[in-house]
Amino acid sequence: MKSQKELLDWVIPQMKKKGVAYKKFKPVFARKASEGEAIATITNDGVETTNQAGKGDYIVKNQTDAEEKYILTKKKFKDRYVYAKRSKNGFSEYLPKGKIVGLELTPAILKELDLPSHFHFEASWGEPMIAKENDFLVCPPDFSEVYRIARKEFFETYEIDS
């Protein structure tokens, strides 16, 4: 399993050459997390990763078929979303404002990077994260971290930033 630093060193040059700029178009639901709250991110194709909330973190729930949840620090959350309206079950709706650079894990890219059709790497919060053929490895425009977005959920929430 590659560490986050190894992944950054290894994937970022590829993203800079071949990555595409995307923007999130679908609003999310979010709420403040309880410190220590654990979340398993479950996409349409299974468990992606797990994470535990720290003080001030947010639980984000995507408006996708899988309704996958994930944790963001307060800073990342404020950088990526803006309040829209109150919702239900303790969540509020937020509009996305963040952008990403994405690299689709096509068979050709996997071969070029000498990777199998599915593999695990260390997410920026220290837990294993799976990536599979045809998923997307993405990062913020500052290339500060790399994470996976499953293919189905990617197309339910992102579009090319024109």
Side-chain angles (χ1 to χ4, degrees):
M1 180 171 74
K2 291 195 180 293
S3 71
Q4 183 68 195
K5 181 176 180 343
E6 289 171 322
L7 190 67
L8 286 168
D9 291 346
W10 171 71
V11 170
I12 296 304
Q14 294 298 318
M15 285 194 169
K16 287 181 177 178
K17 283 192 284 188
K18 299 177 182 174
V20 176
Y22 295 93
K23 63 181 177 182
K24 193 167 191 171
F25 65 85
K26 181 111 20 135
V28 299
F29 296 115
R31 64 171 173 78
K32 286 189 178 177
S34 299
E35 189 172 359
E37 186 174 356
I39 293 291
T41 301
I42 303 171
T43 64
N44 199 46
D45 65 355
V47 176
E48 179 177 86
T49 190
T50 59
N51 196 356
Q52 189 169 5
K55 186 176 181 177
D57 288 352
Y58 281 78
I59 304 296
V60 179
K61 181 169 66 169
N62 276 337
Q63 293 188 42
T64 61
D65 288 344
E67 296 184 328
E68 71 277 12
K69 294 178 189 170
Y70 52 93
I71 297 173
L72 287 177
T73 64
K74 182 178 182 177
K75 180 182 180 344
K76 286 180 185 178
F77 183 77
K78 297 292 184 186
D79 287 346
R80 297 176 188 181
Y81 299 100
V82 62
Y83 177 80
K85 63 183 178 183
R86 187 85 179 125
S87 191
K88 56 186 175 182
N89 300 325
F91 284 87
S92 292
E93 189 170 46
Y94 292 82
L95 302 175
K97 61 180 181 176
K99 298 183 183 205
I100 59 170
V101 176
L103 181 67
E104 186 176 1
L105 293 174
T106 64
I109 290 289
L110 289 169
K111 184 175 181 180
E112 186 176 330
L113 296 174
D114 194 29
L115 285 171
S117 62
H118 68 279
F119 60 96
H120 287 86
F121 62 93
E122 183 183 281
S124 63
W125 53 90
E127 293 295 326
M129 179 175 266
I130 194 165
K132 301 175 183 177
E133 185 176 306
N134 298 318
D135 285 346
F136 286 78
L137 287 183
V138 302
C139 62
D142 67 359
F143 299 99
S144 59
E145 68 174 317
V146 175
Y147 54 97
R148 173 244 196 181
I149 301 177
R151 182 176 189 80
K152 183 176 186 324
E153 288 74 18
F154 184 86
F155 288 110
E156 288 179 301
T157 56
Y158 284 89
E159 63 189 8
I160 291 177
D161 185 24
S162 49

